[in-house]
Amino acid sequence: MKSDIHPDYHEIKVVMTDGTEFTTRSTWGKEGDTMTLDIDPKSHPAWTGGGHRLVDTGGQVARFNKRFGNLKLG
């Protein structure tokens, strides 16, 4: 490998939204910095499944069905 072309890879502390902490290696910040997360897998609906349902607020499904509802294959 070429020397002096790679970023510094060091240990940082990561604080999750519930206050738990862990140490990992990263190129973010500098040695010993603390990264505080606003969104993490313990709190974000993409990972937790969320309790929300998607609602067709703009009528996009109705508009699609109106345009292509009569389309028949074959």
Side-chain angles (χ1 to χ4, degrees):
M1 289 194 313
K2 292 183 180 180
S3 60
D4 301 327
I5 64 166
H6 299 286
D8 180 34
Y9 192 59
H10 49 271
E11 286 193 0
I12 64 167
K13 181 171 64 172
V14 178
V15 180
M16 307 285 268
T17 56
D18 66 353
T20 58
E21 302 174 354
F22 65 92
T23 303
T24 189
R25 294 180 53 81
S26 175
T27 58
W28 178 85
K30 57 188 180 296
E31 180 78 29
D33 278 353
T34 301
M35 176 187 286
T36 305
L37 301 179
D38 295 329
I39 298 172
D40 65 20
K42 294 182 180 181
S43 64
H44 194 276
W47 288 284
T48 62
H52 306 327
R53 291 185 54 161
L54 293 175
V55 179
D56 182 29
T57 57
Q60 292 178 349
V61 172
R63 210 170 24 239
F64 178 87
N65 288 335
K66 182 179 177 184
R67 289 179 66 190
F68 302 106
N70 297 330
L71 183 66
K72 294 188 174 146
L73 299 174

